[in-house]
Amino acid sequence: MAHTANADLQTCIEACLRCYQTCLGMMTNPCVEAGGPHVEPEHVRLMLSCAETCRACAHLMVIGSAVHRHQCRACAEICAACAASCEAVGDMDDCVRACRTCAETCRRMAA
């Protein structure tokens, strides 16, 4: 059972870091260059919030913090909102995928 828990934890850490990298990378490069709805203030704030929440979530899991489940719960909600926003903006499939994967793994960790 502990082996499965460790594997789940590692999977979640990796999903969080991938989402962090994807959201931050998309926002600071393709989105800025595309302009228009890609750089609307609310979308930008949500993507940056998602990236930072994912980074913090991974950090708490790596250090073994007992409160990581609370961060995972919040991270899942923010990632789901970011995925919806990126999907609505369009042409952001990598971000949508990373956010949905992270949301799913974080929901499992928060349970």
Side-chain angles (χ1 to χ4, degrees):
M1 186 71 164
H3 179 66
T4 302
N6 288 338
D8 289 346
L9 184 71
Q10 188 59 41
T11 297
C12 193
I13 290 167
E14 290 169 5
C16 286
L17 292 175
R18 192 176 317 83
C19 192
Y20 163 72
Q21 181 179 15
T22 302
C23 285
L24 193 57
M26 290 283 298
M27 177 44 56
T28 57
N29 290 305
C31 286
V32 169
E33 292 170 13
H38 288 87
V39 292
E40 289 292 323
E42 193 56 36
H43 180 68
V44 170
R45 283 190 285 271
L46 183 55
M47 285 191 73
L48 294 176
S49 297
C50 184
E52 182 56 22
T53 299
C54 290
R55 187 212 55 80
C57 196
H59 180 91
L60 290 175
M61 287 184 281
V62 167
I63 67 169
S65 173
V67 301
H68 79 271
R69 292 189 192 287
H70 301 291
Q71 183 71 21
C72 284
R73 189 172 299 109
C75 190
E77 290 177 29
I78 294 167
C79 284
C82 191
S85 181
C86 289
E87 190 169 52
V89 166
D91 199 29
M92 298 186 69
D93 295 339
D94 290 344
C95 197
V96 172
R97 238 183 332 273
C99 287
R100 286 187 177 149
T101 299
C102 189
E104 174 70 24
T105 60
C106 280
R107 276 188 206 102
R108 284 196 304 263
M109 287 307 293

